[in-house]
Amino acid sequence: MMTGGHVPVPILLGPVRCIGCEPGVPPSGATTFRDEVHYQYMVGGGATYTAWEKQRARSMLARKVFAAVGRSCQGELRVTNLKASAFDIYALVFAFYRVDVEVEAIAAVMPPEACAAPAAPKDGANAGEDKE
Amino acid sequence: MSRLAAGLMLGAVLTPVAATTGCAGARVNITAERARFPISMSDAVRDKSGELYGPPSFQRLGTFSVEATKIGILYSAVAPGSPLDISDAVNSQVTAVQGEAVIRLSVTVSEGCAFLNSFPVLNALPIWPGCVPITIEGEIVRRRPKPPAAQQSGVSGD
């Protein structure tokens, strides 16, 4: 599962950047974030043995975002690409299965007056709580 | 004649190989180009003044949910109907409960297409469809009314 977790930084999908705002064009940003979650399973067999591997990668998006902009009042991310895929391949005694979700985002700069706004929610300080 | 025999032998070898080889799948981009509400993959959303809101400041109104299965052909290289735009679902579900935003948006790919993607023999064909089942969920929220004291000392950044 790909999610932003409990991080006090908006990670926005779509053209609306705030409550009450009109849809607008996402700003350009210098810093690009990329994250991926996946689950894959691979199995291969021979005459005398069978080997398999199972791998699961959890989302590190919240951690990356918080490390980069979480302590800044200007922190905000705009998702530029969100992609899901599933793929299956087998050949003779080899099989491979993978599902994944990828996200790319850019850090958007907030107007300076936003820094005068009240602080972030208290429960949002936990950057490491990824759901999966 | 020897060519025919060689061809038959080659076919005899390659047919079982082809029958036990294949791949299929699908990929899809998820967008919300026409959404009229903010959609956040985290807990936080700002308001117009730049104030940051998190779960304590929100009233949870319901769950946003979209389920879709997208098809891919040519070994997942081509995805007809892509991207998956969740704008209409966001607009209708948020409006229905008079919400203001979607937070904690999550995207999950389930294993529901494993049978189709790994279907024996036929998935060696490029026209055999693969698929990707997607579940997108979030929480529909609106801001809690601030207590009078907070309203007086509240948004100073306007």
Side-chain angles (χ1 to χ4, degrees):
Chain A
M1 176 167 66
M2 171 62 79
T3 183
H6 306 287
V7 61
V9 178
I11 304 173
L12 299 166
L13 174 69
V16 184
R17 59 167 293 271
C18 69
I19 294 171
C21 291
E22 293 295 320
V25 180
S28 58
T31 311
T32 301
F33 293 83
R34 189 180 178 284
D35 193 39
E36 176 189 279
V37 294
H38 72 251
Y39 169 79
Q40 70 180 38
Y41 186 83
M42 190 162 49
V43 61
T48 57
Y49 69 96
T50 299
W52 62 275
E53 183 195 52
K54 190 165 66 172
Q55 189 181 81
R56 182 186 297 273
R58 295 173 183 274
S59 173
M60 302 294 287
L61 183 63
R63 207 162 295 176
K64 291 177 185 176
V65 168
F66 191 77
V69 293
R71 297 180 195 284
S72 162
C73 65
Q74 299 183 340
E76 180 177 296
L77 259 72
R78 302 295 288 264
V79 174
T80 54
N81 189 20
L82 181 59
K83 187 168 67 177
S85 65
F87 193 71
D88 203 317
I89 183 168
Y90 64 88
L92 295 175
V93 292
F94 171 79
F96 176 77
Y97 171 75
R98 179 182 171 104
V99 297
D100 64 18
V101 182
E102 296 173 43
V103 63
E104 287 179 8
I106 56 171
V109 177
M110 294 285 293
E113 54 267 29
C115 293
K122 289 173 185 172
D123 72 326
N126 187 355
E129 270 189 54
D130 299 336
K131 287 180 179 174
E132 188 169 340
Chain B
M1 191 66 180
S2 62
R3 279 189 178 180
L4 179 62
L8 287 173
M9 284 186 66
L10 189 63
V13 171
L14 290 183
T15 301
V17 171
T20 55
T21 303
C23 65
R27 66 187 67 194
V28 62
N29 287 315
I30 299 158
T31 63
E33 299 298 329
R34 290 175 287 106
R36 299 196 309 268
F37 301 94
I39 305 163
S40 179
M41 295 182 74
S42 69
D43 279 347
V45 175
R46 293 181 195 276
D47 70 4
K48 241 176 174 173
S49 69
E51 181 176 355
L52 193 63
Y53 286 82
S57 318
F58 282 132
Q59 180 183 358
R60 189 177 181 279
L61 302 173
T63 301
F64 169 75
S65 180
V66 172
E67 289 188 7
T69 299
K70 301 299 273 188
I71 298 294
I73 56 174
L74 294 179
Y75 310 114
S76 84
V78 175
S82 186
L84 171 63
D85 193 330
I86 62 171
S87 302
D88 291 338
V90 169
N91 293 340
S92 62
Q93 292 184 33
V94 174
T95 303
V97 295
Q98 296 181 318
E100 292 182 322
V102 175
I103 62 170
R104 292 178 178 166
L105 189 83
S106 66
V107 180
T108 308
V109 179
S110 72
E111 298 181 15
C113 283
F115 180 74
L116 189 68
N117 291 347
S118 60
F119 198 88
V121 183
L122 290 177
N123 77 346
L125 302 172
I127 57 166
W128 182 255
C131 66
V132 53
I134 307 155
T135 303
I136 303 170
E137 291 181 319
E139 293 181 11
I140 303 172
V141 296
R142 68 178 299 115
R143 290 167 292 178
R144 289 183 193 280
K146 289 182 180 175
Q151 282 179 345
Q152 285 170 9
S153 62
V155 182
S156 57
D158 284 355

